[in-house]
Amino acid sequence: MASLLELKEIFRSADAVCFDVDSTVIREEGIDELAKFCGVGDAVAEMTRRAMGGTVTFKAALTARLGLIRPSYEQVQKLISDNPPQLTPGIRELVSRLHQRGVQVFLVSGGFQSIVEHVAAQLNIPTANIFANRLKFYFNGEYAGFDETQPTAESGGKGKVITHLKEQFHFKKVVMIGDGATDMEACPPGDCFIGFGGNVVRKQVKEKAKWYITHFDELLKELEER
């Protein structure tokens, strides 16, 4: 197992950095915001807490929550325009610094493609660098489920994405940064996990992560010290 010093060296020399989105890159949980917008906020927030605590499989939790919300295409678009996701302080600067260093930045999310694309555009991250879940709609815009073939639709999916990135781009060192159990599970195959508690602290992650931060400035400082 790598020591904290070794993890910091991996981060400073990484080829690619993967960020979780909900409660990491943005301040809120996209699915909870969508639920509130559709009038079922409390019930879905409780399901999210259970999913992030690692007590139910991710796909089961996602299926149950979306079955309750049943968002239409119009509701998703209106959520993004009326309540755009709020970037976490420091993330814009950190992503910009990583790009300057020639590091590839990816958004790997159990959230929804349409919301994550909006976030990526603000951070100059290309759409091709997004791995997220895709909602499906009938021709009249009604909810029709989600694409269950996406790796991010199930537990262990983020690790599968990292394996895919290593195979496709021959990355030697890939870092995963996130707040939840699904992010921590991605290392290995990820080479370094950095737990993030700047928006919400997941007890299990804080206890188990060797490197745990509460502000992205901590990572910016690591890059400046080199």
Side-chain angles (χ1 to χ4, degrees):
M1 292 290 284
S3 68
L4 180 57
L5 276 175
E6 286 167 330
L7 291 178
K8 289 186 173 187
E9 181 50 40
I10 290 168
F11 173 65
R12 285 196 295 264
S13 59
D15 309 294
V17 175
C18 299
F19 287 92
D20 171 48
V21 176
D22 295 326
S23 296
T24 299
V25 169
I26 62 173
R27 306 199 69 153
E28 55 276 285
E29 285 286 324
I31 194 163
D32 290 349
E33 295 304 304
L34 187 56
K36 274 189 247 174
F37 199 73
C38 296
V40 288
D42 290 346
V44 169
E46 178 53 36
M47 286 180 175
T48 298
R49 273 194 292 277
R50 288 206 299 270
M52 294 308 291
T55 54
V56 289
T57 69
F58 186 81
K59 188 181 270 188
L62 187 60
T63 303
R65 288 179 291 175
L66 283 171
L68 204 57
I69 304 168
R70 302 195 67 77
S72 68
Y73 177 79
E74 190 181 344
Q75 284 172 318
V76 174
Q77 297 310 311
K78 194 160 168 45
L79 171 71
I80 294 168
S81 62
D82 292 6
N83 301 305
Q86 302 297 305
L87 290 178
T88 300
I91 188 63
R92 204 188 289 271
E93 295 80 2
L94 177 57
V95 170
S96 175
R97 187 79 186 95
L98 288 167
H99 281 154
Q100 284 167 12
R101 292 166 67 95
V103 179
Q104 288 267 7
V105 177
F106 295 86
L107 299 179
V108 184
S109 173
F112 307 121
Q113 182 83 16
S114 47
I115 295 173
V116 177
E117 281 179 5
H118 180 85
V119 174
Q122 296 178 70
L123 298 172
N124 296 315
I125 294 171
T127 308
N129 286 22
I130 297 173
F131 293 86
N133 288 315
R134 295 173 183 272
L135 294 170
K136 297 197 291 196
F137 304 98
Y138 292 112
F139 67 92
N140 64 355
E142 284 181 9
Y143 174 69
F146 63 97
D147 181 355
E148 297 192 23
T149 67
Q150 293 295 320
T152 48
E154 52 191 307
S155 302
K158 292 182 180 182
K160 286 180 187 164
V161 169
I162 290 176
T163 298
H164 162 76
L165 293 177
K166 285 188 161 189
E167 287 170 356
Q168 185 175 355
F169 299 107
H170 306 292
F171 294 140
K172 296 280 186 294
K173 295 177 187 172
V174 178
V175 173
M176 181 77 213
I177 301 171
D179 66 288
T182 59
D183 306 310
M184 190 161 58
E185 286 164 5
C187 300
D191 301 282
C192 166
F193 170 67
I194 303 171
F196 182 72
N199 293 310
V200 62
V201 174
R202 316 275 181 203
K203 185 166 173 280
Q204 173 192 15
V205 176
K206 187 177 182 183
E207 286 172 359
K208 291 186 181 173
K210 278 214 177 137
W211 191 0
Y212 195 82
I213 64 167
T214 54
H215 200 289
F216 287 125
D217 281 357
E218 296 171 62
L219 297 183
L220 267 174
K221 285 197 188 89
E222 287 298 327
L223 296 179
E224 302 310 332
E225 281 169 15
R226 190 167 184 189

